[in-house]
Amino acid sequence: MSNVAFRLLTGVAALGVGYALVGGASSLSAETAVNAPAPLVSVASNAPSETAIFAGGCFWGVQGVFQHVKGVTGAVSGFTGGAAGNAHYDRVSDGDTGHAESVRVTFDPRVVSYADLLRVYFSVVADPTQLNAQGPDSGTQYRSALFPQNAAQARVAQAYLSQLRQARLWKRPIVTRIEPAQPFYAAEGYHQDYLTLHPDAGYIRYNDLPKLAALKKLYPQLWRERPVLVRG
């Protein structure tokens, strides 16, 4: 069975028992919202545009959340961490290419900082205590990882991870990795804007729509109603 089919069947089965929003997140979803503290370390920038890459499980939800964040001008689902020759979904799904399903976020740092995006990531996007897994998906391709694109981002990411570990918001240890920046390869077209285009899919309804509800509830100042889409 393909991973896409597994995701859809998992979501449909989950809907059989329903879900309830608790604190903005699904009580039955593996990814539960946490109101993470504001980062103590941030870097101001007057640049009109910057990019950041985040991996946190299935890229459908990661992309969908960031597309609703003010200041984000683009979010593309794809792969990073492996070679160009095997950067396609069917191959990455084997879990042995080194790639992680990831999202390249383009943003205006004058509107939303990289530190703000990290806060959204740890609060809403991913459970940082799950090793090589997120929700119903498992394998190194679903690992929780940050890929800083410059020294400033790396410094902010390291500082925020240290801050979160000291805060002890989760019962289990944080296993999110900071990995060196590597080439990013966009995923196939049918993966782009998946959350927006398929809101009634079982997997999306159970695993990802609660993340949007959490973003809107926890960070209304960052919420944008109309997502910025790859397809425009």
Side-chain angles (χ1 to χ4, degrees):
M1 179 185 296
S2 70
N3 277 19
V4 170
F6 174 76
R7 289 176 187 176
L8 296 177
L9 288 175
T10 301
V12 171
L15 286 172
V17 294
Y19 64 80
L21 291 180
V22 178
S26 171
S27 60
L28 297 180
S29 176
E31 295 82 14
T32 55
V34 172
N35 191 2
L40 297 176
V41 176
S42 185
V43 177
S45 174
N46 290 320
S49 184
E50 193 172 330
T51 61
I53 295 179
F54 302 89
C58 172
F59 43 31
W60 294 344
V62 181
Q63 181 192 44
V65 169
F66 283 121
Q67 287 177 323
H68 280 275
V69 174
K70 285 182 181 178
V72 169
T73 57
V76 178
S77 291
F79 314 103
T80 193
N86 53 24
H88 50 88
Y89 185 74
D90 288 342
R91 187 67 184 84
V92 172
S93 294
D94 291 339
D96 59 0
T97 67
H99 285 290
E101 287 197 14
S102 53
V103 173
R104 182 182 63 202
V105 177
T106 306
F107 62 101
D108 185 341
R110 300 167 299 182
V111 178
V112 61
S113 68
Y114 178 64
D116 292 329
L117 297 180
L118 286 175
R119 189 182 190 189
V120 169
Y121 174 85
F122 284 103
S123 295
V124 176
V125 172
D127 179 347
T129 70
Q130 292 192 23
L131 181 62
N132 296 329
Q134 285 293 309
D137 303 310
S138 62
T140 58
Q141 69 272 33
Y142 299 113
R143 65 188 181 271
S144 170
L146 308 172
F147 296 86
Q149 299 300 289
N150 53 53
Q153 286 187 5
R155 184 166 65 253
V156 172
Q158 290 281 8
Y160 197 46
L161 272 177
S162 296
Q163 181 183 343
L164 292 178
R165 289 190 172 106
Q166 293 176 12
R168 299 181 182 276
L169 298 175
W170 295 272
K171 294 181 179 180
R172 297 180 296 178
I174 293 173
V175 296
T176 300
R177 298 164 54 175
I178 297 178
E179 301 187 28
Q182 298 189 53
F184 175 87
Y185 308 99
E188 296 83 350
Y190 66 89
H191 286 299
Q192 306 301 337
D193 305 329
Y194 197 91
L195 184 153
T196 298
L197 296 175
H198 305 282
D200 293 327
Y203 184 97
I204 295 297
R205 291 178 62 190
Y206 179 69
N207 293 289
D208 296 328
L209 291 187
K211 297 177 184 179
L212 293 187
L215 173 66
K216 186 174 184 178
K217 179 176 181 178
L218 292 177
Y219 307 116
Q221 74 281 9
L222 294 177
W223 171 260
R224 62 187 298 170
E225 192 67 36
R226 184 175 180 179
V228 55
L229 301 179
V230 173
R231 305 183 189 190

